[in-house]
Amino acid sequence: MRRSADIDALQDVLCAALGSRAPVCSLTRLGETAEAFTGLDAAVLERPTLVGGGSPYHPSSPAPTAPTVEELVRRAAALDVSQILVPHVRRGEDTTALRAAGLVPVAAGSECVVRLTGEVDEVLRNRVGARQLLDLRRRHRAVSREVSWERIPLGGLDGAPWARDAFVELHRRQAERHGGRDSLYNADALEALAHGALADRTEMFVRRRGKAVVQAGLLTTSHNGRGVYVLTQAVDHGDPVARHNLYVASLYRLYLHARRSGLDWVHLGRGDASRMRRLGADLFVPLDHWLRAPGLAPSQEEEREPALSEFAAPPVTTVPVPGPARFRHVPRFDQIDLSSNTNPFLGSDGHYPELDTAELARTYLATLAKLPGHDGVGALDADHLLFTSGAVDGVLLLLAALASPGEGVCVTPPTFPLYDHFARVLRLPVTEVPLRGDDLSRLDTEAILAADPRVTFLCDPNNPVGTRLDPAQVRTLVAESPGLVVIDEAYVEFSEKPSYAGWVARHANLIVLRTLSKAWGLAGARCGIVLAQPGIVDALRRVQVPFGFTNASQRAVRDRLTNSRRVLAAIRRIRAERDRMARLLADHPAVARVFPSETNFLLVRLHKHERVTEQLAAAGILVADVGRLIPDTCRITIGDRRANTALLEALSAAL
């Protein structure tokens, strides 16, 4: 709940549940809230505690202001209560007043939110994958055949005493199953809620098999009218219908209800993040309980952004992350946002894109860690990753954030030309150290180190050649270079050799660039990825334009990552077709040489380069003419079987 009036209403409900005029009780009486304190001394758990500034019920609370905390301290003194608890405060908000008053944070898990950005089935397929979606729908159908779904406005409970009594009884049993604790949803609490400030926005949902109530819960619409909080729900686990996992089936039903009601999100309360991901949650906000207790030592740690990297350019150290992105970890889904000067009358496209992409970053890293050749990626977390507008945007960002005019950039031609291009635009001198060997796969590491560059770009697999670099030489360069080493892995999914992504956690000077434009088939979504130490990522954020990663692109990326089986199958097809084309082209009379490739293209040296490329163009076939980089060559992307056959026929006609 994000309004102080809502928090006050829930405080009244707590008093009713406790049977007292003031919200004072032991921590052990606070139901699920008490779970976070099990490691504390027994005296702390049993000592009378004033609960205020937040709610022990499911929705999280805004961090209280200094006047609110001061009033709470005065009230505790007046009540002669030595302990104070402010529960369920979102981490990342301003907790200065809490710390100043001597309260200490105790981790309380995360609140979980399902954002409904489209039709429910499409959203869930995007989030959890087609297989999990089918399971959710199956459970929903099985339950719907056996039980009803009813919603009763809380103000109308007097006309449905059976629902009120069943709700209270199910919650009493639920409390008993969790260690015999008191239920915070007893009859008095429900009565207070039904006659309080939240009554008009709250309804009870009930599922019945015949006349037997098998599930009962409470839903409260947010004050901004855009979503719904699941305050609580309890299930009769002894009823046969519970075998279908009634909780899960009812969540799917709730998503349908919310979407049909025009709502944008469903707040599920606290829960295990891995489990809630499988149910569609895509926003996880860490929570803390703030406790002041005799003998409880103040925390010495505060929430801080990662320390800025020593590689940050001096001007970058003097500026913060731009305004909106600075607050990316402070969600606004349940606030009324009148800060952005946007048009409220033209639909969801009038909202700026989501800036908190931490959950999408975790999804990407989890997917990456399952791929062959990605050992060590499990050591990375969301702070190691930055989404960019394509990998080329990452090149520009890192040069702008990590290099100053006059500092050198090293490239290894033949290579991707935009490294050189962006370096010169930013007035950075460029040193070229050409690749060596017949396959252009060997580095001149001595020459690179002698140039003492601020940034060295390695394209591996190489574009336009298609070969991989010698890993021993790469390892030497990363270990011995005093500057940054950037490895562009745009094509690495097509290679059977390992990625360098797992090295990022161990090397402060290593940056790995990835993209979803190639193997993942999302060139139109413009999604690049920078993997680097958190301090480098923070430096890049300071020069990145906010809102560049659109909601549509985020949805496309999540869908592709979650449903990756098609991608992996397509990669196998491309590899097979690449090898077939390499054999056919190697035997073709127009071709002098086919370079080895671990990408989705082939570098081909032609006998009559100009004539052949002209004839291909005349036949309506476009290939990349890279003869200016490597004499008499062109780069041929692997297409489908029809396109590849057309290429071979055009090559024969050119002779």
Side-chain angles (χ1 to χ4, degrees), residues 217-398:
L218 294 175
L219 308 174
T220 296
T221 303
S222 64
H223 78 283
N224 66 0
R226 291 181 55 194
V228 63
Y229 301 98
V230 181
L231 284 186
T232 183
Q233 58 174 304
V235 172
D236 181 359
H237 289 277
D239 192 282
V241 76
R243 69 181 183 275
H244 297 300
N245 197 334
L246 190 54
Y247 171 77
V248 171
S250 294
L251 284 186
Y252 180 81
R253 179 65 180 80
L254 178 58
Y255 301 159
L256 295 175
H257 156 66
R259 189 60 187 165
R260 289 165 186 166
S261 302
L263 301 179
D264 297 335
W265 50 265
V266 175
H267 185 290
L268 302 179
R270 292 188 301 118
D272 176 70
S274 61
R275 179 171 183 250
M276 292 302 189
R277 283 189 187 97
R278 296 194 296 272
L279 299 179
D282 70 320
L283 179 61
F284 300 88
V285 185
L287 303 176
D288 292 310
H289 301 315
W290 287 78
L291 179 65
R292 191 177 81 169
L296 192 62
S299 172
Q300 300 301 313
E301 297 183 4
E302 295 187 24
E303 283 293 309
R304 296 188 181 94
E305 289 290 321
L308 193 62
S309 170
E310 61 179 321
F311 292 104
V316 173
T317 65
T318 66
V319 297
V321 174
R326 191 161 63 251
F327 304 108
R328 64 192 179 277
H329 294 314
V330 182
R332 300 182 178 183
F333 65 93
D334 54 357
Q335 292 180 311
I336 295 175
D337 186 359
L338 299 179
S339 67
S340 301
N341 302 336
T342 55
N343 189 328
F345 301 112
L346 296 178
S348 60
D349 286 339
H351 303 305
Y352 279 113
E354 297 289 344
L355 284 171
D356 189 353
T357 56
E359 180 60 23
L360 186 57
R362 283 188 280 269
T363 300
Y364 175 78
L365 291 171
T367 303
L368 207 64
K370 297 175 184 176
L371 300 180
H374 286 78
D375 294 344
V377 170
L380 306 181
D381 60 31
D383 290 334
H384 289 88
L385 187 150
L386 181 71
F387 290 107
T388 61
S389 182
V392 292
D393 182 43
V395 173
L396 182 58
L397 285 178
L398 69 89

Side-chain angles (χ1 to χ4, degrees), residues 77-226:
L79 293 168
D80 194 25
V81 174
S82 60
Q83 283 189 182
I84 297 174
L85 173 67
V86 179
H88 290 147
V89 176
R90 288 180 181 170
R91 196 174 299 167
E93 294 196 347
D94 185 0
T95 56
T96 304
L98 291 168
R99 292 184 185 277
L103 282 87
V104 175
V106 178
S110 296
E111 59 181 329
C112 310
V113 181
V114 178
R115 291 180 287 194
L116 300 172
T117 54
E119 293 304 312
V120 169
D121 281 1
E122 182 62 23
V123 168
L124 292 178
R125 191 186 73 84
N126 180 291
R127 301 261 175 81
V128 304
R131 184 174 298 180
Q132 177 68 5
L133 170 60
L134 288 175
D135 182 66
L136 290 173
R137 294 181 63 179
R138 178 181 60 79
R139 293 181 186 277
H140 168 63
R141 286 194 300 270
V143 167
S144 297
R145 286 193 293 266
E146 298 188 47
V147 300
S148 63
W149 168 273
E150 304 169 58
R151 304 199 313 276
I152 306 169
L154 217 56
L157 275 182
D158 289 342
W162 58 269
R164 180 186 58 224
D165 294 344
F167 175 93
V168 171
E169 176 61 17
L170 287 177
H171 279 79
R172 184 191 66 78
R173 290 189 216 163
Q174 179 171 274
E176 286 183 351
R177 280 197 309 274
H178 289 85
R181 297 184 303 227
D182 294 337
S183 170
L184 293 185
Y185 284 104
N186 56 28
D188 292 332
L190 190 58
E191 181 73 10
L193 190 59
H195 292 88
L198 291 172
D200 290 343
R201 291 168 24 214
T202 304
E203 61 183 4
M204 181 180 292
F205 72 91
V206 175
R207 308 211 75 167
R208 286 197 287 177
R209 188 165 57 82
K211 292 186 177 181
V213 176
V214 297
Q215 185 180 26
L218 294 175
L219 308 174
T220 296
T221 303
S222 64
H223 78 283
N224 66 0
R226 291 181 55 194

